[in-house]
Amino acid sequence: MADAPRVGSVTQPPPVRQRILITGASAGLGAEMAKQWAAAGRDLVLCARRLPELERLRAEILTDHPDVTVLIRALDVTDAEAVDRVFRETAAELGGLDRVVANAGIARGGSIGTGATADNEATVQTNFLGVLHQAESALALFRAAGAGHLVVVASMAGLRGLANEITVYAATKAGVATLAEGLQAELWHSPITVTTIYPGYIRTEINANDPNMKWSVDKVTGSAAMVAAIEREPARAYVPTRPWAFMAWPMRLMPMVMFRKLAGY
């Protein structure tokens, strides 16, 4: 389930966000969301570290939807100056940005204390500090424009501490969800909205080797659920709704002995 939209009255739909910037757009959920928004006629800024993949994605989108605008930029979200430059330059080129989807993330890491420090730190840099950099730049633009929609992609993994190689990943997703909630509290009565998306298991490149993929869906189905939720602009949404909206509170509240069994430990 998702919170009701905060824009206007409960019967008034959110505005159409025409100009959408997506990070982590070269593959997986980011690329699939880009295709779905392009099919709806939205203009896009697609950012990722791998420029050749972005070029291929842009060519595919423009073949299918030649009337949309697609800008691409090589971007490492751990570089705060680069994030700010890309956001400002592309906003100037398009005449503004209406929505920023902070989707870039990695799932590297290992059990703490086993020598995986570098991978764990890289996950923190990308998944938490990278989102902070994007929020700083996006909200600076939205505050100046007097409107905008920031989307933070968290994870169902962020609802509870997880063990072994996913401990740090889960902690970063919990961190960005809390960051987004703080921004929601601050901006509640403003024309700027903030949404946190909690995807469940969606099969993409990032989790191709994960043997514990309960209730998983393919990336087209999962991305469609994410796009539909983002368009409603709730404070938070668990996607796909079934089963994840119904799992959220039990995951948070069940005793650790039960949660360990659910998680397969």
Side-chain angles (χ1 to χ4, degrees):
M1 294 179 180
D3 291 356
R6 188 175 57 77
V7 179
S9 69
V10 293
T11 59
Q12 178 182 346
V16 173
R17 308 292 186 178
Q18 179 63 31
R19 299 160 298 187
I20 303 174
L21 184 150
I22 308 169
T23 62
S26 61
L29 299 177
E32 189 57 41
M33 285 191 289
K35 294 175 187 177
Q36 295 185 25
W37 271 313
R42 310 298 176 86
D43 297 318
L44 301 170
V45 180
L46 307 180
C47 303
R49 287 178 292 184
R50 298 178 295 178
L51 189 58
E53 283 80 356
L54 289 176
E55 291 171 339
R56 283 192 285 270
L57 177 60
R58 178 175 60 181
E60 179 182 350
I61 288 173
L62 292 178
T63 296
D64 295 334
H65 310 288
D67 294 333
V68 303
T69 298
V70 182
L71 306 182
I72 60 172
R73 294 292 188 276
L75 179 63
D76 182 344
V77 297
T78 67
D79 185 338
E81 292 184 0
V83 170
D84 197 55
R85 182 180 67 254
V86 166
F87 280 33
R88 291 183 182 278
E89 287 177 354
T90 56
E93 188 167 346
L94 291 179
L97 293 174
D98 303 309
R99 173 180 289 147
V100 169
V101 182
N103 171 70
I106 61 174
R108 293 162 52 187
S111 295
I112 293 174
T114 64
T117 303
D119 282 344
N120 287 334
E121 288 185 352
T123 298
V124 172
Q125 291 283 338
T126 299
N127 293 6
F128 186 81
L129 290 180
V131 171
L132 176 61
H133 298 158
Q134 293 168 76
E136 290 274 11
S137 299
L139 290 179
L141 292 170
F142 294 163
R143 290 179 192 273
H149 183 206
L150 174 65
V151 181
V152 172
V153 178
S155 171
M156 293 297 294
L159 297 181
R160 196 71 185 256
L162 297 178
N164 305 322
E165 69 279 354
I166 203 171
T167 297
V168 172
Y169 173 84
T172 63
K173 293 302 185 177
V176 297
T178 300
L179 175 68
E181 189 172 44
L183 295 175
Q184 290 164 2
E186 178 181 347
L187 299 167
W188 193 261
H189 292 296
S190 84
I192 301 170
T193 56
V194 180
T195 294
T196 308
I197 300 294
Y198 294 84
Y201 283 125
I202 302 173
R203 296 188 294 274
T204 66
E205 295 85 345
I206 198 172
N207 55 32
N209 297 319
D210 189 341
N212 186 28
M213 295 281 286
K214 295 184 178 73
W215 312 297
S216 65
V217 298
D218 62 87
K219 65 181 178 183
V220 174
T221 301
S223 298
M226 292 177 67
V227 166
I230 290 167
E231 287 293 299
R232 295 192 300 271
E233 302 195 12
R236 67 184 63 83
Y238 308 98
V239 296
T241 300
R242 295 182 180 182
W244 301 109
F246 305 98
M247 291 292 295
W249 283 108
M251 284 179 63
R252 291 179 189 270
L253 298 176
M254 70 175 60
M256 179 57 74
V257 65
M258 295 176 60
F259 181 75
R260 282 177 51 82
K261 291 180 179 179
L262 176 68
Y265 299 144

